[in-house]
Amino acid sequence: MLSEIEYDIIANKVAMKVMEYLDRPKSLFICQKKAFALYGQSNVLNWRANGQITVVKRVRKIEYKVSELDALGDRRNLLIKPKRK
């Protein structure tokens, strides 16, 4: 059986790991496939056509800035709601 002190040590270690995870910076870019899944293909393509998001082309990849997608996605003006899995 664990003592009260051992529980405190375990709880502190778990809390530190959670804080490390939450403080981690998000990735700056996501691939097109993930953007389509999260925000809806029609939305991403319309934002791209209107010049509202930055497109970054890499070798065999198209990526978008997460901050721009989040800003546009938070406006609740999505044309088509993305599918939830």
Side-chain angles (χ1 to χ4, degrees):
M1 196 128 193
L2 295 174
S3 69
E4 192 172 319
I5 295 172
E6 291 172 326
Y7 279 121
D8 287 340
I9 292 170
I10 293 170
N12 286 336
K13 286 184 179 182
V14 170
M16 287 177 62
K17 288 291 182 184
V18 169
M19 290 304 296
E20 286 174 13
Y21 178 77
L22 293 175
D23 288 340
R24 248 183 359 188
K26 292 182 181 178
S27 59
L28 297 176
F29 298 93
I30 60 172
C31 67
Q32 180 169 281
K33 182 177 180 179
K34 190 168 185 177
F36 286 173
L38 293 174
Y39 301 98
Q41 183 174 353
S42 297
N43 295 317
V44 174
L45 292 176
N46 282 328
W47 296 334
R48 182 178 173 176
N50 294 334
Q52 294 176 299
I53 54 176
T54 304
V55 179
V56 178
K57 294 184 180 180
R58 303 192 195 276
V59 179
R60 292 184 274 161
K61 259 189 165 179
I62 296 175
E63 295 182 331
Y64 302 100
K65 285 180 108 177
V66 174
S67 59
E68 294 175 348
L69 290 169
D70 282 343
L72 290 167
D74 285 343
R75 292 184 184 168
R76 305 286 185 240
N77 61 353
L78 301 176
L79 297 175
I80 298 174
K81 298 281 183 188
K83 294 178 184 174
R84 299 288 178 190
K85 292 183 179 179

